[in-house]
């Protein structure tokens, strides 16, 4: 008798498993916490970061977003959505009052704040930033899964991969690897270290990030290091052409900088800060622009 | 006005302000709510309204009140202990010491809970206690304290602890928000479990300090006189020192460093109701709680984004501290 017991038990389990709809599927979020997938696309989504907002719009879910941060300004329609506060100071009370059926948080939102929202009983899905552009695909796919927009996500990701592959293919013909210094517009010489996705972006665009050896995401660089590195190209992440011109002139005026190759040859270019500083789909555009600026010869002078 | 009516008036006004503070806290916030909503809360429970008013605003108000009470009581104890009206958990360095402990515990991943205390809370207590003991030992001169030595030692020890706290925070790259929390204080993420952590300890300390208040009165006459009058001076001192550190650590563990509450409040209260420590301890706790409740109201409503509450209490407290220094001359 005892020996036969497992079989019916297994059958029961199998029947239950088969009878349960996809709704009972549970996937872990990037904090490793189990998150039960909703049965259908959520109707009221709160996005706690600009790149999440952007991805949701790209998945055609813009109309279902009920709350965004005050930094969520892309696409322009996002500006009309009610604000929950900033990245680190999102207001829990406002989030709760929006009565969301899905809250998507991102690294950069303080963990304690995210926890506070979760303890109110709201379904919070937390995503982490990746180190390279290839992690953008899984990020979008995961957002696709929790919003039950898997096929749209798959479409978006495959279009993105095609463009990534096109850049990769073009780069095979590259004979040089210019050294690049990325300057974040603002006070001080902030740049992107080896752990940043921008480092990966520069490498894919056929360049070598000057600060690649820095084991950090963001690094405050020293002027003398730039002079010693002697980068061939400088990219300035700027919010507007005015900011770019200002940043370029400030850099050029720094003592000793006139000897740097990029300044000497005028290879100081603007990259759109709004797109480049967010781990979202527009990074592909930034990549394509960076690649064509670093290797105009491979892109038929399309700069 | 006699002392008796003065006291009655003090209690009446404090209680009124306290209740009004709670009511205003429940009704103000980015989500619009009216007094009618408050009444409807129990008749037709709406989950969103309940979460906003009870889970978020009420827990936050209660926590601010308890932390304010704990800080003011800690200050009242330290002022009696050091026989000095300028002592306060922030000035003496206990708060900074406690925050260092909490941050170190967090950095080392020492999060386990014991006796209702989280790892950070426990370490906050021990490092707060070490700082206050150190300051005590360094500023003790032949059985008495020199005010200047006490304050300077406390400020130096506090600055060192703050520097170490910043060091631990900035070792981790994404810690800006954490740094603001630990160094300037906030009730942004207040919740009921935090209330449950600190409320019992706060009550124990309040009752114990009221119980030992007479001995504190005797300490004011000098340790030898107090001993001669039958007070177990050494034990009383130990108990009060531990309580002041515990209260400050409780406050810091849930809300970061909030300065000057323990300085300003007991001082006002002493002027209003006199130096007897039993009413002073009780009244400081009530007034401190009420004071911080209003400070938090300002912190969360003054600007669209939240201000760290330590900014508000310092804006009120630091000028007051300067005024006291000036008056002492």
């Amino acid at each position: 008798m005892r020996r036969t017991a497992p079989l019916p038990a297994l059958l029961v389990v199998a029947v239950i498993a088969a009878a349960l709809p996809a709704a009972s599927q549970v996937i872990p979020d990037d904090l490793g916490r189990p998150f039960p997938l909703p049965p259908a696309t959520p109707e009221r989504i709160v996005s706690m970061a600009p790149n999440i907002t952007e991805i949701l719009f790209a998945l055609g879910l813009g109309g279902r977003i009920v709350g965004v941060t005050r930094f969520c300004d892309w696409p322009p329609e996002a500006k009309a959505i009610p604000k929950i506060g900033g990245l680190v100071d999102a207001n829990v009370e406002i989030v709760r009052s929006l009565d969301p059926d899905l809250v998507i948080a991102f690294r950069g939102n303080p963990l304690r704040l995210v926890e506070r929202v979760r303890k109110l009983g709201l379904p919070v899905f937390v995503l982490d930033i990746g180190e390279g552009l290839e992690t953008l695909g899984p990020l979008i796919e995961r957002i696709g899964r929790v919003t039950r927009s898997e096929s749209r996500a798959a479409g978006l990701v495959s279009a993105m991969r095609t463009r990534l592959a096109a850049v990769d293919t073009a780069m095979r013909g590259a004979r040089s690897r210019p050294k690049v210094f990325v300057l974040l517009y603002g006070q001080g010489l902030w740049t992107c270290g080896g752990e940043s996705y921008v480092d990966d972006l520069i490498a894919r665009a056929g360049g070598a990030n000057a600060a690649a050896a820095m084991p950090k995401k963001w690094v405050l660089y020293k002027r003398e290091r730039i002079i010693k590195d002697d980068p061939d190209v400088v990219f300035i992440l700027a919010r507007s052409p005015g900011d770019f011109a200002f940043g370029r002139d400030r850099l050029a005026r720094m003592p000793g900088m006139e000897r740097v190759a990029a300044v000497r040859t005028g290879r100081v270019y603007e990259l759109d800060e709004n797109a480049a500083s967010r781990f979202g789909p527009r990074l592909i555009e930034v990549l394509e622009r960076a690649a064509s600026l670093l290797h105009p010869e491979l892109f038929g002078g399309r700069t | 006005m006699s002392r008796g009516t003065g006291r009655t008036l003090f209690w009446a006004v404090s209680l009124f302000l306290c209740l009004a503070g709670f009511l205003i806290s429940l009704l103000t916030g980015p989500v619009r709510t009216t007094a009618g909503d408050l009444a409807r809360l129990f008749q037709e429970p709406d989950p969103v309204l309940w979460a906003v008013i009870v889970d978020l605003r009420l827990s936050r108000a209660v926590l601010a009140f308890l932390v304010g009470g704990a800080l003011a009581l800690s200050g009242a104890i330290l002022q009696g202990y050091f026989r000095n009206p300028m002592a306060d958990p922030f000035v003496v360095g206990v708060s900074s010491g406690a925050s260092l402990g909490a941050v170190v515990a967090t950095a080392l991943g020492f999060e386990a809970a014991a006796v209702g205390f989280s790892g950070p809370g426990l370490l906050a207590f021990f490092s707060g206690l070490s700082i206050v003991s150190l300051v005590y030992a360094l500023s003790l001169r032949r059985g008495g304290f020199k005010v200047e030595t006490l304050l300077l030692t406390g400020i130096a020890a506090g600055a060192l602890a703050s520097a170490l706290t910043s060091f631990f925070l900035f070792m981790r790259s994404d810690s800006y928000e954490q740094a603001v929390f630990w160094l300037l204080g906030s009730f942004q993420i207040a919740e009921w479990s935090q209330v449950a952590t600190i409320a019992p300890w706060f009550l124990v300390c309040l009752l114990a300090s009221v119980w030992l208040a007479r001995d504190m009165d005797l300490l004011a006459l000098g340790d030898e006189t107090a001993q001669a009058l039958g007070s177990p001076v050494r034990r009383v001192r130990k108990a009060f020192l531990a309580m002041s550190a515990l209260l400050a650590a409780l406050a810091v563990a849930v809300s970061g460093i909030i300065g000057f509450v323990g300085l300003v409040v007991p001082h006002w209260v002493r002027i209003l109701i006199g130096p007897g420590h039993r009413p002073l301890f009780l009244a400081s706790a009530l007034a401190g709680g009420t004071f911080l409740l209003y400070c938090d109201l300002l912190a969360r409503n003054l600007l669209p984004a939240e201000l760290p509450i330590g900014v508000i209490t310092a804006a009120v407290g630091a000028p007051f501290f300067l005024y006291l220094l000036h008056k002492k001359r």
Side-chain angles (χ1 to χ4, degrees), chain B residues 6 180 191 247:
Chain B
V180 171
E191 53 175 280
L247 288 163

Side-chain angles (χ1 to χ4, degrees), chain A residues 25-47:
Chain A
Q25 274 183 293
V26 173
I27 64 169
D29 69 2
D30 283 352
L31 291 178
R33 276 195 308 243
F35 184 91
L37 291 183
T41 303
E43 305 279 341
R44 306 180 56 78
I45 307 173
V46 165
S47 158

Side-chain angles (χ1 to χ4, degrees), chain B residues 204-314:
Chain B
V204 166
C205 287
L206 183 61
L207 291 177
S209 63
V210 168
W211 177 264
L212 292 172
R214 183 51 47 85
D215 292 294
M216 187 62 107
D217 289 339
L218 293 178
L219 282 187
L221 306 171
D223 285 15
E224 277 131 49
T225 318
Q227 189 84 53
L229 288 169
S231 171
V233 170
R234 287 175 62 93
R235 259 184 294 156
V236 169
R237 279 203 172 273
K238 271 187 194 146
F240 274 119
L241 202 62
M243 278 197 281
S244 71
L246 177 59
L247 288 163
L250 286 170
V252 166
V254 296
S255 57
I257 299 180
I258 300 175
F260 297 104
V261 179
L263 172 78
V264 175
V265 174
H267 212 87
W268 279 339
V269 171
R270 195 177 298 107
I271 293 169
L272 292 169
I273 70 165
H277 279 99
R278 186 161 295 162
L280 180 69
F281 287 156
L282 283 170
S284 293
L286 173 65
T290 308
F291 173 70
L292 206 57
L293 193 57
Y294 283 96
C295 287
D296 188 42
L297 269 173
L298 281 181
R300 66 190 176 97
N301 293 319
L302 203 59
L303 298 177
E306 280 209 20
L307 271 176
I309 191 165
V311 172
I312 309 254
T313 58

Side-chain angles (χ1 to χ4, degrees), chain B residues 72 122 305:
Chain B
L122 220 53

